[in-house]
Amino acid sequence: MPTSDESSKKIGARHSDSDSWTNLGNSATAVKPESFQHEGISRGDFQSTERHSSGRRGFGRFQTDLSTRSGMRSNRGVDESIRLVDYQRGGGDDDASSLANDGSYPGRRSRESGLQPGSIADDVPLLPHDSSEQEPLKGHARGFWPRLNTWFSSHSLWSIFQRQRIQSKPSAEHPEDHELTAIRTVVVGHAQATRYPANVVSNAKYTPWTFLPVTLYNEFSFFLNLYFLLVALSQIIPALRIGYLSTYVAPLVFVLSITLGKEAMDDLGRRRRDAEANAEGYTVLLPRTERSGRKSRTRRLRSIQKEDDLLRKRSEVDGTKLQKERLLEGGMGDPGDGTDARSKQQQPLLEVVKKSRDLRVGDIVKLRKGQRVPADVVILGSYTNDVPQQESTAVGRGHPDLLEMTESSDGQREAAATASLDANTAVADLAGETFIRTDQLDGETDWKLRLASPLTQTLDVNGLTKVEIVAGKPERSISRFIGTIKVSNDSDRHMERDISTPHGEDGSANRTKLEDSPGVLTGPLTVDNTAWANTVIASNSITLAAVVYTGPQTRQAMSTSQSRSKTGLLEYEINSLTKILCLLTLSLSIILVGLERIEATEDQKWYITVMRFLILFSTIIPISLRVNLDMGKSVYSRFIEKDEGIKGAIVRTSTIPEELGRVEYLLSDKTGTLTQNDMELKKVHLGTVSYANEAMDEVASYIRQAFRVALPDANGPTTLVTPSSAHHAPSTSTSATRSRREIGSRVRDLVLALALCHNVTPTTEESDGTSSTTYQASSPDEIAIVKWTESVGLRLSYRDRKMIVLQSTDTGREVVRARILELFPFTSEGKRMGIVAEFLEDARSGTTDGGSEIWFYQKGADTVMSSIVAANDWLEEETSNMAREGLRTLVVGRKKLSMARYAEFASSYKRASLALHGRDNAMADVIQTYLERDLELLGVTGVEDKLQQDVKPSIELLRNAGIKIWMLTGDKVETARCVAVSARLVARGQYIHTITKLKRVDAAQDSLEFLRGKTDASLLIDGESLALLLTHFRDTFISLAVLLPTVIACRCSPTQKAEIAQLIRAHTKKRVCCIGDGGNDVSMIQAADVGVGIVGKEGRQASLAADFSIEQFCHLPKLLVWHGRNSYKRSAKLAQFVIHRGLIISVCQTMFSIASKFEPIALYKDWLLVGYATVYTMAPVFSLVLDRDVDEGLAKLYPELYKELKEGRSLSYRTFFIWVAVSIYQGSIIQGLSQVLVEVHGPRMVATSFTILVINELIMVAFAITTWHPVMILSLLGTAVVYFASIPFLGGYFDLMYVVSLAFVWRVVAVSAIALVPPYLVKIAGRTLKPPSYRKVQAV
């Protein structure tokens, strides 16, 4: 037997050969308490981490963290105390122990306490040593004050600096934050040596620390708010102060409060939705902590007593809970019986429900059918759900669904795993198959088959904690994954038991040679062994998976762009107009001062006068503009959500409803957005006859006749149907008998081929005591075909990797049994799938004789099958006809093989599969040589992907509204083409230019040159070609693509979808709307100017991340053409009236300053200035949000009305300067005539001009209304009443005796008429000479 030193050297040599072992062996990471929540143990009560050893290491580390509750921690004012017990297998009775002052890893403490790396206390568990040589660590003294002293020493500035210096130098001895470029080693079921990000989903735009800075920056980036901020700050200077400071500060604070409040509410809503997703519960399997070695009984009882006392003081828990905690950590049972749970050879797993946000890398998650995968995982095993409970069988594996808590004879609670798999279940489980739905990730409705590694599928469930996974760095690609899996074999486990054998009486360890161990079993991992976050388990089974990537490192998160704050185009347009108004104000101020002569007066300098004029004219840029617009947006959002025509609509971003009226490009997903994810076989064609709709009943009658089998004798076998069986036709003497027999035979052959050539697996589910059969497959087309064969009389009753069984729905008897010899799955390159089946003639026979039939069936796209099937004259024509109908076509053929021919093929195919170079091409050549030649053409099927309700008229309406529609999907090229045709995305007879699989730059250049001359064609392009074009011909491609009527991009990744949206926005400067329903559409939705999410069948992620949420695609036209148009036109009219209201009062101020010898004296002060913008004019002006020029019926009947909005005529420089001219005219008339007819200064002039100003604004609002609403009438009359009722209270500004005189009345009427009549006459003349579009459709 080698000495201890020799063993140490050998162990160290093995340890140094593997970085992963080094990382795991030399690091100890504390696990958060929520990782071990079970049986009532609360957060913070108990923390434990087991550094589980595998065969190569032979040693384990156990770390226990007894921490206080948060409340107790805050009361005591000291950090949580941690008790670290280092158990080394093979050590003596006195275990090395120390107090960890800050919860850090042992290697860090050794450096801080001045120990050398080679010392005993250093964290090197692979180096055995005698415990008698150990010296206590610094700070090991017991008691509160020594612990407190140690805590302060470890948290000193020098200690913190040392820790940062150590962490900045990654090493195997210290855990570090994971780098994205690093390969990770995941120890399944245990805490990891490296810190990984939390598994948190976040769509929030802000954090508590960035909310105020970001929102204030966004607000003050608008010139309007910045201008008023400067005006408000200027009032702090006494020389510039005009009126009360609150007059300028309060409106700004009010505006900012409303805007920030809306942003906060929107972001809080996102956070609530994220919290719901992050709080979703998942079942996690946690290992019972295992400890080796033993203590003396006295020492053991003393240690437990101290733990109990500490927990009672800090947690106030009872003895039962303490016992549970000791059991959970692998502690002792009843102290009186002398048993030690740590000496168990293999501890079972415990089931704990953890929230999604609490999942960590390495956790074993148990998933069931319909559950969302919470993180990127590697599948460890898949087990049938309906497992009978029986005694352990020869399989000997614990089923994960039957982990249960049992009571032992001595009262201890132990976790026991019951092996309950029968023989058939064991065979099925060995395959480790599970199906997942990925439509929320890549948009494909196909179910994807995923497989567990054979190393873990056949492993005891309780042995999964001995698995390690080596995975690559996180990346965006959802179709690529490279990794390895390592599992300790039985020899390793036996070796581990030998290592942990109790010590001898002399205290020496009974060690075992590691050289005796054959090591670990290693296997490869590919994307077929994974399930990415946000996919859904589709199999009716239990799937065990290990978490590998979490949170922001998942494929879904890395493919999703960060949400951004969206600002409408109208906001930018108004921002530009306010800059013009500011220049007008500055120019006017300088002109007035210049007329007064630029000279220094006794009181103030000329530039101070300019500043005072700027403040006086600040009403030109009305701060109430933002308030009115924001309140208007809230009203528009309310209209959308309360519309009965689009029930379920939700406005999640209430700052951009007017953007719905400016959309020019619509980017739509396909799956779940345009289609229902529901396939149905609509038509079959056999060359001379086709069947569809009601004619399918005739197909069913043929099948009933063809698959009638004679009832067996009492002891005789059932005769099965084979392709060579004679067709049973009704005995008639008509001349049509032969023809009918031939057609019936062809129908039988086609239906039999469709029932066999697929990868569909039937599963039985029980609900409410009734069982139902469902189908699982990687393609919805195949499920639709199998359902059709069942509807016509031939049901798929059983399927595994080796056998297919069909039964007649008419008799319920088994009619076909075929052994699967070869299966060639569908690929996007091959565009076909095939199967070699051997038919059995006897239902009881498990083997076949020499006379059995072997047939090769194949189905695929017509583009590849046309050269494989025998020559014919109808295939091309019929497939073209079906394609024009929007059906997805599949061509079906077959070929009979002799036993010798098949044996020759099998031998050649096996040799090709063993080739080291060119294996795929060699295998394809063998298949083509032996099988894919001169197939008998059986028929063509047409499958319809059902469209969403009213998709065709909706797309037609949007196209007539001038919106260009692009379809971006992750689905296949053929599928995208069929949906584009059936949805009328492509017009009948329109040429579709297809660009796929571009590899060379010159070919890409040729494709672009062709497009340059065919701008009326539609473009169909795949993701690979799109990436090439965007890389080499970015500007050229997008400049041509935006000219095309329709672009269809398929096989697009989520990142590509977002990139296309951003590219169109940047190139065209137009508004882009993106609509989708899946998680793969979130990036695209967030990158668009307007994001619309549809509440899909498979999830709400797109709906939650979108600006607007609807339930169906057919709701989009109303959202855009009706609500979008109204929102934009109302906001434009509202903004112009608010600007007019500020301009006209500024013109009055200018006229007054001129009459006052250019002195900066305020015309209206204090309440008059504030009341004019609020009480006296705000309600009538704001009532314009209820105005509409046409009703909903006309808006849908004439979608061309929407097209003119793209030009922005409702709010343009032309309309702006028209309103500026009207304001200058009316302000000059009102103030000028008031000063001429009354007086230049004094309360009589103020009363006259202010009254005319209010009346003028109310009547201008009435002139602008197109469709009257009761609220409008009420606001106009109510405001007038409020103003005249408030005149008696304005004695400080008006001459009240003059106001009640006749002279006041006739002057008000006369000046108002002069100010209002000319602009109204000009407006009428303009409508008559050039009527607007809405007047034309109204025939007015």
Side-chain angles (χ1 to χ4, degrees):
M1 177 179 293
T3 64
S4 175
D5 294 338
E6 292 175 353
S7 298
S8 301
K9 292 179 181 179
K10 293 174 181 178
I11 296 171
R14 288 176 177 248
H15 179 63
S16 61
D17 289 342
S18 175
D19 292 339
S20 61
W21 297 119
T22 303
N23 288 330
L24 296 174
N26 290 349
S27 302
T29 304
V31 178
K32 292 186 177 181
E34 55 265 25
S35 301
F36 288 85
Q37 288 182 6
H38 188 65
E39 294 294 330
I41 299 177
S42 61
R43 296 179 55 144
D45 288 344
F46 192 81
Q47 298 179 348
S48 65
T49 301
E50 174 191 8
R51 181 60 58 220
H52 197 89
S53 302
S54 67
R56 291 193 179 186
R57 288 173 288 179
F59 296 97
R61 173 171 299 282
F62 183 78
Q63 175 175 312
T64 303
D65 180 7
L66 297 176
S67 61
T68 63
R69 292 178 182 267
S70 58
M72 299 298 294
R73 198 162 50 236
S74 61
N75 291 334
R76 293 180 178 269
V78 296
D79 195 13
E80 55 190 85
S81 61
I82 302 169
R83 185 165 184 260
L84 178 69
V85 184
D86 186 4
Y87 292 94
Q88 290 191 322
R89 299 183 180 179
D93 288 351
D94 295 330
D95 297 314
S97 61
S98 63
L99 291 175
N101 304 313
D102 58 351
S104 60
Y105 44 87
R108 179 190 298 172
R109 294 194 306 278
S110 66
R111 296 192 179 211
E112 293 173 359
S113 56
L115 298 177
Q116 299 299 322
S119 64
I120 299 302
D122 196 20
D123 186 21
V124 188
L126 294 184
L127 298 179
H129 57 275
D130 194 290
S131 60
S132 62
E133 299 176 1
Q134 300 182 29
E135 296 181 1
L137 292 175
K138 182 178 180 180
H140 188 69
R142 300 175 182 175
F144 172 76
W145 293 110
R147 291 173 184 249
L148 183 62
N149 181 36
T150 305
W151 184 89
F152 278 113
S153 64
S154 65
H155 285 76
S156 64
L157 292 177
W158 173 249
S159 299
I160 295 174
F161 170 76
Q162 287 290 89
R163 285 197 293 271
Q164 292 177 347
R165 182 177 64 83
I166 293 171
Q167 290 175 350
S168 65
K169 298 179 180 180
S171 66
E173 298 182 5
H174 304 283
E176 55 179 328
D177 289 333
H178 177 71
E179 298 180 2
L180 289 178
T181 58
I183 294 177
R184 63 180 62 187
T185 300
V186 178
V187 184
V188 176
H190 302 286
Q192 308 303 308
T194 306
R195 289 190 297 268
Y196 297 104
N199 192 49
V200 176
V201 176
S202 177
N203 290 309
K205 294 181 181 179
Y206 313 103
T207 66
W209 300 273
T210 62
F211 175 74
L212 276 179
V214 173
T215 52
L216 289 178
Y217 172 80
N218 291 336
E219 288 302 309
F220 289 118
S221 63
F222 285 97
F223 181 78
L224 180 67
N225 290 336
L226 182 61
Y227 176 82
F228 276 101
L229 176 64
L230 296 176
V231 170
L233 293 176
S234 69
Q235 296 303 290
I236 301 176
I237 304 174
L240 301 179
R241 184 173 299 168
I242 301 175
Y244 296 110
L245 179 63
S246 60
T247 305
Y248 299 90
V249 176
L252 179 63
V253 173
F254 179 68
V255 170
L256 293 178
S257 299
I258 290 180
T259 305
L260 267 63
K262 288 171 62 65
E263 284 291 321
M265 292 302 296
D266 290 344
D267 209 53
L268 287 175
R270 297 186 190 95
R271 287 185 173 274
R272 281 195 297 269
R273 295 188 292 271
D274 291 340
E276 292 176 1
N278 293 328
E280 186 176 356
Y282 289 90
T283 302
V284 178
L285 304 184
L286 295 179
R288 288 272 299 277
T289 306
E290 178 179 339
R291 296 180 181 177
S292 59
R294 67 178 183 178
K295 297 181 179 180
S296 64
R297 182 177 180 185
T298 304
R299 186 181 181 90
R300 188 163 61 241
L301 293 176
R302 185 186 301 120
S303 174
I304 293 175
Q305 183 65 34
K306 290 179 180 178
E307 292 179 7
D308 291 356
D309 293 341
L310 183 62
L311 283 177
R312 285 193 182 95
K313 291 179 180 179
R314 298 183 180 180
S315 304
E316 298 180 0
V317 294
D318 55 13
T320 303
K321 190 170 184 179
L322 292 173
Q323 184 179 0
K324 292 180 181 179
E325 291 173 347
R326 286 199 299 273
L327 284 173
L328 182 60
E329 70 171 28
M332 296 175 53
D334 185 1
D337 61 7
T339 61
D340 191 348
R342 298 166 186 159
S343 62
K344 297 286 184 182
Q345 297 297 336
Q346 182 178 4
Q347 299 293 346
L349 299 176
L350 299 176
E351 288 190 4
V352 176
V353 177
K354 295 175 66 174
K355 296 179 180 179
S356 176
R357 63 170 175 263
D358 296 330
L359 295 178
R360 299 291 183 265
V361 172
D363 282 350
I364 305 174
V365 185
K366 185 168 78 170
L367 301 170
R368 298 179 181 273
K369 180 179 180 180
Q371 273 195 298
R372 179 182 67 90
V373 179
D376 287 356
V377 300
V378 169
I379 297 175
L380 301 177
S382 180
Y383 309 88
T384 54
N385 202 7
D386 47 349
V387 181
Q389 298 188 15
Q390 60 182 32
E391 296 297 329
S392 300
T393 64
V395 179
R397 295 188 290 116
H399 193 276
D401 197 31
L402 298 176
L403 292 173
E404 56 183 9
M405 300 297 295
T406 60
E407 295 290 339
S408 60
S409 58
D410 57 0
Q412 291 188 13
R413 299 191 64 188
E414 298 179 351
T418 305
S420 55
L421 298 174
D422 57 11
N424 293 333
T425 303
V427 175
D429 283 350
L430 289 176
E433 296 181 353
T434 187
F435 283 95
I436 61 173
R437 294 198 303 267
T438 63
D439 50 340
Q440 294 293 297
L441 188 65
D442 57 14
E444 296 188 24
T445 57
D446 303 357
W447 288 12
K448 304 298 189 301
L449 176 63
R450 292 294 185 260
L451 302 171
S453 172
L455 297 180
T456 54
Q457 178 65 27
T458 58
L459 191 66
D460 184 358
V461 174
N462 296 319
L464 293 178
T465 54
K466 299 183 181 298
V467 175
E468 283 194 2
I469 297 172
V470 179
K473 63 181 181 180
E475 57 179 321
R476 292 182 176 179
S477 176
I478 61 176
S479 59
R480 182 173 63 250
F481 176 77
I482 299 176
T484 58
I485 190 167
K486 301 177 182 179
V487 182
S488 299
N489 57 19
D490 292 336
S491 298
D492 290 322
R493 289 192 286 271
H494 179 70
M495 174 204 67
E496 182 177 344
R497 288 195 295 270
D498 291 340
I499 289 178
S500 60
T501 301
H503 307 91
E505 294 180 0
D506 58 353
S508 61
N510 297 327
R511 292 184 173 88
T512 302
K513 295 182 181 180
L514 265 69
E515 289 82 4
D516 295 341
S517 170
V520 296
L521 300 177
T522 304
L525 292 176
T526 65
V527 70
D528 293 333
N529 307 117
T530 64
W532 304 136
N534 215 36
T535 57
V536 178
I537 301 296
S539 299
N540 186 26
S541 60
I542 294 175
T543 301
L544 296 184
V547 177
V548 178
Y549 304 107
T550 54
Q553 294 184 354
T554 61
R555 260 61 170 180
Q556 172 74 23
M558 296 185 72
S559 298
T560 302
S561 59
Q562 292 295 324
S563 58
R564 62 185 181 91
S565 298
K566 297 183 179 181
T567 304
L569 181 60
L570 186 69
E571 298 278 355
Y572 292 111
E573 292 172 345
I574 293 176
N575 195 48
S576 300
L577 297 181
T578 55
K579 293 177 182 178
I580 297 176
L581 291 174
C582 183
L583 290 176
L584 291 177
T585 304
L586 180 60
S587 302
L588 185 59
S589 301
I590 294 175
I591 291 173
L592 291 177
V593 174
L595 292 176
E596 190 190 11
R597 292 191 307 256
I598 303 177
E599 61 180 0
T601 62
E602 185 178 342
D603 296 332
Q604 58 189 15
K605 303 292 184 179
W606 67 268
Y607 51 83
I608 295 180
T609 306
V610 172
M611 293 297 296
R612 287 178 63 86
F613 271 121
L614 282 174
I615 297 170
L616 283 174
F617 296 147
S618 62
T619 54
I620 289 181
I621 308 175
I623 192 171
S624 60
L625 177 59
R626 290 299 302 273
V627 178
N628 282 273
L629 289 178
D630 288 344
M631 293 175 61
K633 292 173 182 178
S634 299
V635 173
Y636 310 148
S637 301
R638 184 73 174 177
F639 287 161
I640 293 173
E641 294 181 343
K642 293 300 181 181
D643 192 336
E644 292 295 327
I646 49 175
K647 287 185 177 181
I650 301 174
V651 179
R652 304 195 187 278
T653 305
S654 58
T655 58
I656 56 171
E658 68 277 352
E659 289 294 276
L660 294 170
R662 310 288 294 276
V663 173
E664 291 196 44
Y665 289 90
L666 174 64
L667 276 56
S668 173
D669 179 42
K670 177 191 72 69
T671 308
T673 303
L674 299 178
T675 64
Q676 299 182 21
N677 296 347
D678 190 4
M679 306 291 180
E680 182 180 1
L681 191 145
K682 286 287 189 179
K683 189 175 184 180
V684 294
H685 199 287
L686 283 73
T688 58
V689 62
S690 65
Y691 297 95
N693 301 325
E694 292 80 6
M696 294 298 182
D697 295 337
E698 187 175 352
V699 175
S701 65
Y702 284 130
I703 297 302
R704 284 195 299 269
Q705 298 168 8
F707 289 95
R708 283 179 180 172
V709 294
L711 295 178
D713 299 334
N715 299 321
T718 301
T719 302
L720 302 178
V721 177
T722 67
S724 300
S725 301
H727 176 66
H728 301 281
S731 55
T732 60
S733 58
T734 62
S735 59
T737 301
R738 178 176 300 177
S739 175
R740 183 171 179 83
R741 185 182 298 113
E742 291 177 355
I743 294 176
S745 178
R746 295 175 64 181
V747 169
R748 181 199 66 178
D749 294 339
L750 176 62
V751 173
L752 179 60
L754 294 175
L756 292 173
C757 187
H758 54 72
N759 63 356
V760 180
T761 302
T763 60
T764 302
E765 298 180 354
E766 290 189 4
S767 60
D768 300 332
T770 60
S771 61
S772 60
T773 301
T774 58
Y775 297 109
Q776 298 176 358
S778 61
S779 171
D781 300 63
E782 298 206 323
I783 294 180
I785 291 175
V786 171
K787 286 183 177 180
W788 177 79
T789 61
E790 180 179 0
S791 67
V792 296
L794 198 58
R795 178 189 296 121
L796 175 65
S797 63
Y798 177 80
R799 164 74 181 265
D800 59 20
R801 291 188 174 185
K802 297 298 182 182
M803 186 71 66
I804 295 181
V805 176
L806 307 178
Q807 67 177 202
S808 172
T809 58
D810 185 31
T811 62
R813 293 182 175 275
E814 178 182 332
V815 293
V816 176
R817 180 183 288 261
R819 179 179 288 109
I820 303 174
L821 302 180
E822 302 287 349
L823 184 65
F824 312 107
F826 179 89
T827 61
S828 57
E829 293 79 13
K831 300 180 182 180
R832 59 191 182 275
M833 68 94 51
I835 185 174
V836 178
E838 182 180 18
F839 288 86
L840 306 183
E841 297 180 355
D842 185 351
R844 296 185 181 180
S845 175
T847 60
T848 58
D849 54 21
S852 297
E853 302 178 20
I854 299 178
W855 288 81
F856 169 63
Y857 291 97
Q858 190 171 58
K859 66 181 179 184
D862 59 286
T863 54
V864 296
M865 292 295 293
S866 58
S867 60
I868 296 177
V869 298
N872 60 86
D873 57 356
W874 59 271
L875 178 60
E876 182 178 358
E877 179 181 358
E878 292 303 326
T879 54
S880 299
N881 292 337
M882 290 188 182
R884 280 191 290 270
E885 297 175 16
L887 301 179
R888 306 165 69 167
T889 58
L890 286 175
V891 179
V892 186
R894 69 174 183 176
K895 183 178 185 178
K896 188 174 184 179
L897 303 176
S898 64
M899 295 294 293
R901 184 67 172 175
Y902 172 72
E904 185 179 352
F905 159 76
S907 177
S908 301
Y909 191 69
K910 182 177 181 180
R911 286 196 302 270
S913 65
L914 298 177
L916 297 179
H917 302 287
R919 178 184 302 175
D920 293 340
N921 292 333
M923 295 169 66
D925 291 340
V926 173
I927 295 174
Q928 185 176 7
T929 301
Y930 288 91
L931 303 180
E932 295 181 340
R933 287 189 177 181
D934 297 329
L935 265 66
E936 177 188 355
L937 178 60
L938 296 178
V940 181
T941 64
V943 177
E944 179 188 38
D945 188 355
K946 292 182 180 179
L947 299 176
Q948 292 277 4
Q949 179 183 352
D950 296 332
V951 163
K952 296 179 182 179
S954 298
I955 291 178
E956 188 69 21
L957 190 149
L958 294 173
R959 185 181 286 112
N960 292 335
I963 299 175
K964 293 185 177 180
I965 305 174
W966 291 31
M967 186 173 75
L968 312 180
T969 178
D971 218 331
K972 297 181 283 292
V973 175
E974 294 79 9
T975 305
R977 183 195 298 271
C978 292
V979 172
V981 173
S982 62
R984 301 289 191 269
L985 202 60
V986 177
R988 287 184 177 273
Q990 187 177 21
Y991 174 71
I992 302 177
H993 182 59
T994 305
I995 302 177
T996 57
K997 300 191 179 303
L998 279 182
K999 303 287 187 182
R1000 305 191 318 272
V1001 176
D1002 56 341
Q1005 181 68 41
D1006 294 340
S1007 299
L1008 291 178
E1009 290 299 327
F1010 178 84
L1011 278 179
R1012 201 181 302 275
K1014 288 284 286 186
T1015 55
D1016 59 339
S1018 295
L1019 174 63
L1020 176 61
I1021 186 171
D1022 64 354
E1024 181 181 358
S1025 304
L1026 180 63
L1028 180 66
L1029 290 173
L1030 293 181
T1031 301
H1032 298 282
F1033 307 100
R1034 191 181 189 89
D1035 295 335
T1036 305
F1037 169 73
I1038 195 63
S1039 61
L1040 290 174
V1042 295
L1043 300 176
L1044 302 177
T1046 302
V1047 176
I1048 306 156
C1050 44
R1051 290 298 182 189
C1052 285
S1053 66
T1055 306
Q1056 281 182 320
K1057 291 182 177 183
E1059 186 178 5
I1060 292 174
Q1062 294 168 350
L1063 196 59
I1064 296 176
R1065 289 178 53 223
H1067 180 79
T1068 63
K1069 309 299 182 184
K1070 306 295 185 181
R1071 302 291 94 180
V1072 177
C1073 175
C1074 294
I1075 182 171
D1077 75 317
N1080 60 316
D1081 302 318
V1082 171
S1083 296
M1084 175 180 70
I1085 288 173
Q1086 293 178 341
D1089 296 297
V1090 180
V1092 181
I1094 294 181
V1095 181
K1097 297 179 180 179
E1098 313 302 337
R1100 298 170 55 90
Q1101 188 168 357
S1103 169
L1104 297 178
D1107 304 311
F1108 302 90
S1109 173
I1110 57 179
E1111 294 185 347
Q1112 297 182 22
F1113 183 85
C1114 62
H1115 293 168
L1116 184 64
K1118 186 174 185 181
L1119 188 66
L1120 299 181
V1121 175
W1122 174 241
H1123 289 288
R1125 183 175 184 275
N1126 287 341
S1127 299
Y1128 170 63
K1129 291 185 72 69
R1130 289 165 175 171
S1131 290
K1133 183 179 290 188
L1134 180 62
Q1136 289 169 340
F1137 256 92
V1138 174
I1139 292 175
H1140 166 265
R1141 185 176 63 188
L1143 267 172
I1144 194 172
I1145 196 173
S1146 298
V1147 173
C1148 293
Q1149 176 66 52
T1150 303
M1151 297 296 293
F1152 177 74
S1153 297
I1154 294 174
S1156 303
K1157 297 180 181 181
F1158 307 103
E1159 290 292 331
I1161 302 174
L1163 172 60
Y1164 309 120
K1165 297 180 181 179
D1166 304 332
W1167 168 249
L1168 293 183
L1169 193 63
V1170 175
Y1172 172 75
T1174 56
V1175 179
Y1176 300 145
T1177 59
M1178 185 173 181
V1181 172
F1182 187 72
S1183 68
L1184 291 174
V1185 300
L1186 303 175
D1187 191 23
R1188 54 185 175 87
D1189 51 5
V1190 295
D1191 58 20
E1192 183 180 343
L1194 284 177
K1196 289 184 177 181
L1197 185 61
Y1198 298 99
E1200 293 79 7
L1201 293 173
Y1202 184 88
K1203 188 183 300 184
E1204 66 181 13
L1205 300 183
K1206 298 186 299 181
E1207 301 174 4
R1209 293 179 180 177
S1210 298
L1211 182 62
S1212 61
Y1213 289 116
R1214 176 178 175 273
T1215 59
F1216 170 72
F1217 284 110
I1218 289 176
W1219 278 100
V1220 169
V1222 171
S1223 301
I1224 293 175
Y1225 168 77
Q1226 291 183 334
S1228 302
I1229 293 297
I1230 292 172
Q1231 187 61 29
L1233 291 181
S1234 296
Q1235 294 176 170
V1236 170
L1237 296 177
V1238 183
E1239 59 185 1
V1240 176
H1241 299 87
R1244 292 188 176 186
M1245 182 274 297
V1246 173
T1248 303
S1249 64
F1250 191 79
T1251 302
I1252 297 172
L1253 197 62
V1254 172
I1255 293 175
N1256 179 84
E1257 195 66 24
L1258 297 182
I1259 296 178
M1260 285 295 291
V1261 171
F1263 286 167
I1265 293 176
T1266 305
T1267 304
W1268 284 90
H1269 191 279
V1271 175
M1272 296 176 176
I1273 300 174
L1274 183 63
S1275 63
L1276 285 171
L1277 297 179
T1279 300
V1281 170
V1282 168
Y1283 172 70
F1284 287 108
S1286 66
I1287 289 179
F1289 302 96
L1290 302 177
Y1293 308 100
F1294 297 169
D1295 184 347
L1296 297 182
M1297 295 301 296
Y1298 173 74
V1299 170
V1300 297
S1301 65
L1302 185 60
F1304 171 79
V1305 175
W1306 75 262
R1307 284 176 173 82
V1308 170
V1309 173
V1311 175
S1312 298
I1314 296 173
L1316 289 168
V1317 173
Y1320 183 72
L1321 293 177
V1322 173
K1323 181 179 180 180
I1324 295 299
R1327 286 184 177 179
T1328 304
L1329 297 176
K1330 189 178 180 181
S1333 300
Y1334 72 88
R1335 290 281 181 177
K1336 296 178 182 179
V1337 300
Q1338 288 176 337
V1340 176

